[in-house]
Amino acid sequence: MEDYFPFKDVEEKWHKRWEELFRCDVAKSENKFYCLMMFPYPSGNLHVGHGRNYIIGDALARFKMMEGANVLAPMGWDAFGLPAENAAIKNNIHPAEWTKNNIKRMKEQFDRWGVTYDWSREITSCEPEYYKWTQWLFIRLYKAGLAYKQAASVNWCPSCKTVLANEQVVGGECERCGSKVEQKKLEQWFFKTRKYAERLLQDLDKLPMAEVLIERGGVKEEGVRFIEEVKQIQVAEREKAQFTKKGFFTGCYAVNPATNKKIPVFLASYVLMEYGTGVVMGVPAHDQRDFEFVKESPLEIPVIQVIRPSGSHGELPELEAAYTNEGEMINSGPFDGIKNSIAMEKIYETLAEKGMAKKAVHYRLKDWLISRQRYWGAPIPMIHCKRCGTVPVPEEDLPVVLPEDVDFMPRGDGKSPLATSEEFVKTKCPVCGDDAERDTDTMDTFVDSSWYFLRYLSPNIDEKAFDSDLVNRWLPVDQYIGGIEHAILHLLYSRFIVKFLYDEGLIDFDEPFERLFTQGMIYRDGAKMSKSKGNVVSPEPLIEKYGADTVRIYTLFIGPPEKDAEWNDRAVEGAYRFINRVWRLYSKNAQLLDNVADRSVSIDPEALPAEMIPLYRKVQQTTHKVIEGVLGGSFHFNTAISSLMELTNEIYAFNERFKEEIAKQDEAIVGLFVLSIKNLLLLLSPMAPHLSEEIWERMGFKESIFKQTLPTVDSKYILAEKYTLVVQINGKIRAKIEVEKDTDSDKLKKIALENKRIAALKTITIPGKLVNIVVKER
RNA sequence: GCGAGAGUGGCGGAAUUGGCAGACGCGCUGGAUUUAGGAUCCAGUGAGGCGACUCGUGGGGGUUCAAGUCCCCCCUCUCGCACCA
């Protein structure tokens, strides 16, 4: 008997066979299930926190297969991006090569977890075959009037003379050299996401997912704004705002239309031109920023309190900070005495009647700035001609290939690295044929990832971006799984692009994802795993020591998948013990179980002796719980595993109790025993696939366990025929009595009252649960 | 500041419609087995009390026969965004 599951001997064998299993025939779209996991950035190493995403997705894909679905589970690489360029600069390796190496390594990591995909559909966003179509998308947007050029600020390091990403700015300083970062205006490309703001907001209702709320923060309606009256004020010459929260008195006054009082007008450094009209009403008594402005400024600015804190009386003390809570209005003319939240609406109504105000909706959504002054991205396919202006590269000339031999070290003139390649820059104008220059910026990597899920259906076609027919049959994605960090922008951009393609008539759906699931982060020592904190847990040593199934089971068992969880090295052993407990169930009984498939073993539940019914019932209850818990929509693998542990414990007890009968091959007992083990394996297999497949094969089944259907539930046996009735007095438990399952209320009441002879005022009877007796005094 | 989420044993976490709080696992304790250790198997394990009992789901109120769950107020923590008013 082998005491431990020999995972090292069998894992590889199964990885090879599963590749076939996961190859999807997309021509058959009936009963399709598109299970999409966010394609990762190939940063080099996956840790167990990343693993959660892929393990959840893999387990789900396998459950769906066993439910009979035609599962499409593809994978690819979001392969353009800043880290490749940083690594290149640091280690003097070409970004393309660095990326390629990382992809190779990460693919191996997927494999070791037993996470399987349809690799025949692999896509890599940095390959010309792919980014050709990212460029094509840009041109479509441009031709539809949704791409435009405008000056916008970038972070600029005056010492490195280069553009910095937000991430590279730490505390206002360049992370590399520590110089103070400046803002510099550059002409850049934008996509008009704002044009889709209303639809992006409205259609959120089509997405049944918890994360909707997160995105509501991104596209948000701003409330009432008093625009009209302030527009009349002439804004004086603006003083340059190089200091924070300082102001300049214009000498002008505005009139507060609600009270008809004069208000001094200031220029303030902290008011953003880009937001709203660029003009705001300062309320120093009730806005902390305005309050600080008044405090920091040498100017004499009156602070008028207009909200009296709830419950306060008499003279109001001088404020030490802005009062931002509820209260009633004071110093507000006709609105005095009204609760501030109500007054807000009242003031609006009054002004609206006079035609002085109107409600406006402000989406907290900017147009999408897609230009990046970087090398490692898809070149923007535009040509600048002196005579014809900016013109798109003709579609037949795509892709605009990213030249390999470019010096992408910081050059110090602020231009994109591509500008150094004369060969790249110099071109002919496609309109007039004259000498012209290519745009030297590349696209934001979010553009690459905003359409990749369409490409998976036909990853290799070179005459178009995607096959509309296949895409229409397979999308929207049935289940999208990914990290919370991408739940906002990536989702927004993908939705924008899909709506655009819908408007262009290229696809017939306008939301890309049917359901989204964002899994929680895995923490370690109270912080999320990161290289800089040095708290990452690598999967390899764990898989080496305990096997892939242990790591999978632990990862799924750690907690509800949507919540954050703390990694605990020692608790991994619990998963390891469980795996081996299941294995021993087999190995202890190998004589019986080896090739048991070839024999007919069956049971008739109706004919089972009473002492065997509890196990049969446990099998039914577990089956019900696992299938409901996982496929019922909540992906609660943690409770599914716990109930499989319970079942395992019960099979152990059964095995021990009927040891001799099993040895003697008693038909009924062996039948139930084998059934229990079969169901245990079927339910466990998506989560611990190596173990389950191996035992399944040894039991003599010729086909993969993932080609089996999930066990069905004999629902008659879900409820026990007896249960523990709780008897409460005044809501406190006073007795517990075993009763028959179908006992009616009257009978229950009688049983309870006989048990405790109490003069009852009132009795609450809940069949199946409890009897609560209410008495006057205890 | 805005937005989102979360507070249950020593720890991770369970608890249909409000109906036995703490399933399952980790850790700990004890027993079996073993020359011993490890591994394995079995049992116990919220706190207090000898006890019948009492107290317990961040804190305080409330609704109810009954509250982790519903309502009001407060506290703490985590994440995301932001000179966005």
Side-chain angles (χ1 to χ4, degrees):
Chain A
M1 168 183 151
E2 296 169 282
D3 280 332
Y4 293 90
F5 172 45
F7 59 88
K8 281 191 185 169
D9 303 337
V10 305
E11 283 182 354
E12 243 187 82
K13 165 179 83 183
W14 291 113
H15 296 164
K16 284 194 187 115
R17 297 200 200 165
W18 291 336
E19 254 180 68
E20 196 56 44
L21 189 75
F22 273 74
R23 196 154 297 158
C24 177
D25 180 2
V26 293
K28 294 183 201 138
S29 59
E30 208 164 299
N31 208 5
K32 61 102 181 174
F33 187 80
Y34 190 173
C35 183
L36 181 69
M37 275 144 269
M38 290 179 183
F39 68 161
Y41 177 77
S43 59
N45 258 314
L46 294 167
H47 56 64
V48 294
H50 299 120
R52 199 180 195 191
N53 186 333
Y54 307 110
I55 291 166
I56 289 170
D58 185 70
L60 178 67
R62 290 172 194 263
F63 264 116
K64 281 286 171 184
M65 280 179 192
M66 297 174 80
E67 219 188 17
N70 186 19
V71 172
L72 171 62
M75 188 41 75
W77 311 96
D78 187 11
F80 273 136
L82 191 55
E85 220 164 312
N86 285 340
I89 292 165
K90 205 170 146 196
N91 307 324
N92 199 26
I93 177 172
H94 196 278
E97 201 189 326
W98 183 84
T99 304
K100 214 173 106 193
N101 293 343
N102 288 347
I103 288 173
K104 183 164 173 271
R105 179 163 160 58
M106 284 166 68
K107 223 166 148 175
E108 283 165 11
Q109 287 189 301
F110 280 134
D111 201 45
R112 295 214 60 187
W113 268 314
V115 164
T116 315
Y117 297 104
D118 182 349
W119 285 112
S120 72
R121 303 181 175 278
E122 179 177 3
I123 55 180
T124 307
S125 68
C126 67
E127 286 173 355
E129 294 77 22
Y130 182 90
Y131 70 69
K132 169 181 178 179
W133 301 107
T134 307
Q135 293 171 335
W136 166 86
L137 184 63
F138 178 98
I139 291 168
R140 289 294 292 227
L141 283 155
Y142 175 78
K143 287 182 174 165
L146 289 169
Y148 67 94
K149 239 184 164 184
Q150 199 180 56
S153 306
V154 292
N155 297 312
W156 175 255
C157 174
S159 159
C160 305
K161 293 206 165 50
T162 185
V163 175
L164 300 177
N166 282 341
E167 192 190 56
Q168 298 172 300
V169 182
V170 181
E173 290 170 0
C174 171
E175 69 166 358
R176 221 171 273 150
C177 69
S179 314
K180 196 150 175 66
V181 172
E182 295 170 1
Q183 295 298 303
K184 188 172 172 166
K185 290 263 181 181
L186 288 179
E187 281 287 307
Q188 307 195 69
W189 287 99
F190 288 83
F191 289 159
K192 284 190 186 171
T193 40
R194 276 191 299 190
K195 196 177 168 196
Y196 281 73
E198 183 58 31
R199 279 164 71 191
L200 287 166
L201 182 66
Q202 288 303 320
D203 290 350
L204 280 179
D205 299 333
K206 289 187 190 169
L207 303 178
M209 57 189 186
E211 286 62 36
V212 162
L213 291 167
I214 294 167
E215 199 175 347
R216 290 239 191 247
V219 186
K220 194 182 179 226
E221 296 174 31
E222 288 291 299
V224 183
R225 196 88 3 117
F226 302 108
I227 296 166
E228 300 297 345
E229 95 270 19
V230 283
K231 269 191 180 163
Q232 298 160 15
I233 302 158
Q234 207 198 337
V235 178
E237 192 189 348
R238 184 161 179 161
E239 177 180 314
K240 218 181 172 190
Q242 70 268 72
F243 33 58
T244 50
K245 292 201 185 75
K246 291 218 167 160
F248 173 80
F249 180 48
T250 58
C252 297
Y253 289 88
V255 174
N256 182 331
T259 58
N260 290 320
K261 283 183 190 159
K262 269 168 80 180
I263 314 167
V265 177
F266 298 86
L267 298 183
S269 59
Y270 64 100
V271 174
L272 294 183
M273 196 57 217
E274 289 77 16
Y275 190 79
T277 58
V279 182
V280 294
M281 171 76 178
V283 192
H286 306 290
D287 180 281
Q288 190 59 28
R289 272 171 302 263
D290 294 340
F291 183 83
E292 283 165 15
F293 170 58
V294 169
K295 274 278 166 86
E296 290 166 16
S297 169
L299 301 164
E300 285 286 316
I301 306 172
V303 176
I304 301 166
Q305 300 190 47
V306 296
I307 301 172
R308 172 186 287 281
S310 310
S312 69
H313 301 282
E315 190 101 340
L316 287 171
E318 197 172 319
L319 293 169
E320 281 175 26
Y323 180 76
T324 56
N325 292 326
E326 301 283 288
E328 65 179 43
M329 304 300 293
I330 51 172
N331 297 322
S332 303
F335 304 101
D336 280 1
I338 302 173
K339 202 179 171 206
N340 66 319
S341 50
I342 296 166
M344 244 186 252
E345 188 62 20
K346 284 243 150 101
I347 294 170
Y348 164 69
E349 284 168 14
T350 311
L351 295 179
E353 269 172 37
K354 296 183 196 162
M356 297 177 79
K358 70 174 180 198
K359 263 190 193 181
V361 174
H362 282 257
Y363 295 100
R364 198 180 292 183
L365 175 69
K366 298 181 209 162
D367 276 347
W368 179 8
L369 195 169
I370 60 118
S371 297
R372 297 288 182 271
Q373 295 71 41
R374 314 223 156 257
Y375 167 70
W376 196 232
I380 292 176
M382 298 299 279
I383 292 169
H384 304 287
C385 168
K386 281 206 181 77
R387 201 180 317 165
C388 311
T390 303
V391 294
V393 173
E395 202 179 303
E396 60 271 22
D397 293 348
L398 295 178
V400 175
V401 178
L402 190 61
E404 290 265 326
D405 56 341
V406 164
D407 179 14
F408 43 82
M409 299 287 180
R411 295 191 318 139
D413 59 4
K415 281 193 183 158
S416 171
L418 287 180
T420 61
S421 170
E422 201 174 299
E423 199 187 333
F424 176 81
V425 175
K426 281 179 80 172
T427 187
K428 298 289 181 198
C429 171
V431 178
C432 68
D434 247 18
D435 285 349
E437 294 190 345
R438 289 189 190 280
D439 200 299
T440 56
D441 283 357
T442 51
M443 279 188 256
D444 178 10
T445 56
F446 274 124
V447 184
D448 309 326
S449 60
S450 65
W451 71 280
Y452 76 106
F453 41 87
L454 305 175
R455 183 75 183 166
Y456 280 135
L457 273 309
S458 49
N460 300 316
I461 51 166
D462 52 11
E463 68 272 22
K464 49 191 170 183
F466 51 85
D467 181 317
S468 291
D469 178 50
L470 280 175
V471 160
N472 284 337
R473 277 156 63 196
W474 278 84
L475 276 94
V477 168
D478 294 271
Q479 183 66 58
Y480 199 21
I481 305 173
I484 190 89
E485 67 274 21
H486 293 303
I488 303 165
L489 288 179
H490 163 60
L491 213 64
L492 181 73
Y493 295 146
S494 301
R495 295 179 55 229
F496 164 71
I497 293 296
V498 161
K499 283 182 191 309
F500 166 68
L501 294 172
Y502 172 80
D503 289 353
E504 291 282 291
L506 293 167
I507 52 179
D508 64 9
F509 52 95
D510 69 347
E511 279 291 337
F513 314 117
E514 190 73 36
R515 291 167 55 91
L516 171 71
F517 184 83
T518 56
Q519 89 278 1
M521 260 182 295
I522 291 189
Y523 288 85
R524 159 98 161 185
D525 309 323
K528 79 178 181 192
M529 288 185 194
S530 71
K531 255 187 222 160
S532 56
K533 287 203 189 83
N535 62 349
V536 292
V537 178
S538 300
E540 281 86 355
L542 291 170
I543 293 173
E544 192 65 32
K545 191 169 170 194
Y546 302 112
D549 284 339
T550 294
V551 175
R552 292 171 64 110
I553 288 288
Y554 177 65
T555 303
L556 294 170
F557 187 61
I558 195 166
E562 73 279 8
K563 287 195 192 151
D564 296 344
E566 172 85 26
W567 184 270
N568 179 342
D569 285 324
R570 267 212 285 206
V572 176
E573 304 236 3
Y576 182 60
R577 286 208 272 263
F578 172 58
I579 292 291
N580 286 305
R581 246 169 104 72
V582 174
W583 172 257
R584 253 174 248 123
L585 211 44
Y586 155 76
S587 66
K588 268 201 301 194
N589 298 286
Q591 247 192 325
L592 168 71
L593 295 171
D594 276 342
N595 298 311
V596 76
D598 300 338
R599 282 185 284 156
S600 73
V601 186
S602 65
I603 57 156
D604 172 11
E606 297 297 322
L608 278 181
E611 69 234 25
M612 287 168 58
I613 289 192
L615 178 60
Y616 184 75
R617 174 170 294 117
K618 188 73 181 178
V619 170
Q620 303 312 321
Q621 288 168 337
T622 307
T623 306
H624 176 73
K625 229 180 143 182
V626 170
I627 294 176
E628 264 310 295
V630 174
L631 297 175
S634 61
F635 306 147
H636 280 177
F637 296 103
N638 56 330
T639 50
I641 291 168
S642 82
S643 51
L644 288 169
M645 285 171 168
E646 283 182 56
L647 176 60
T648 304
N649 292 344
E650 210 149 311
I651 301 175
Y652 259 77
F654 183 89
N655 191 179
E656 189 56 33
R657 183 171 167 196
F658 296 104
K659 219 178 350 196
E660 282 163 30
E661 287 84 346
I662 289 170
K664 276 189 248 153
Q665 305 259 347
D666 177 283
E667 205 186 308
I669 287 177
V670 166
L672 177 57
F673 187 60
V674 171
L675 172 88
S676 307
I677 289 174
K678 271 174 68 182
N679 278 26
L680 172 66
L681 293 174
L682 286 165
L683 295 167
L684 182 62
S685 61
M687 300 178 279
H690 310 84
L691 173 78
S692 312
E693 275 276 43
E694 183 62 27
I695 300 177
W696 192 254
E697 187 184 52
R698 292 189 190 207
M699 284 172 83
F701 295 101
K702 300 287 178 270
E703 247 189 350
S704 165
I705 197 167
F706 300 105
K707 296 226 165 142
Q708 314 305 311
T709 49
L710 289 167
T712 49
V713 181
D714 187 350
S715 48
K716 207 177 141 195
Y717 285 88
I718 289 184
L719 285 178
E721 76 263 16
K722 276 189 177 180
Y723 68 93
T724 309
L725 176 75
V726 173
V727 182
Q728 297 185 335
I729 295 175
N730 286 359
K732 304 212 168 184
I733 299 152
R734 282 293 175 275
K736 292 182 181 183
I737 311 166
E738 286 281 303
V739 297
E740 297 290 322
K741 143 174 94 173
D742 295 320
T743 317
D744 64 28
S745 285
D746 288 344
K747 186 90 183 291
L748 288 177
K749 197 190 281 183
K750 212 170 138 226
I751 292 170
L753 290 172
E754 269 166 12
N755 184 267
K756 293 262 166 179
R757 289 178 298 279
I758 308 280
L761 290 175
K762 188 176 168 189
T763 315
I764 288 105
T765 316
I766 313 288
K769 293 277 186 195
L770 56 76
V771 175
N772 184 15
I773 301 160
V774 184
V775 300
K776 203 179 249 160
E777 293 278 321
R778 196 158 35 82

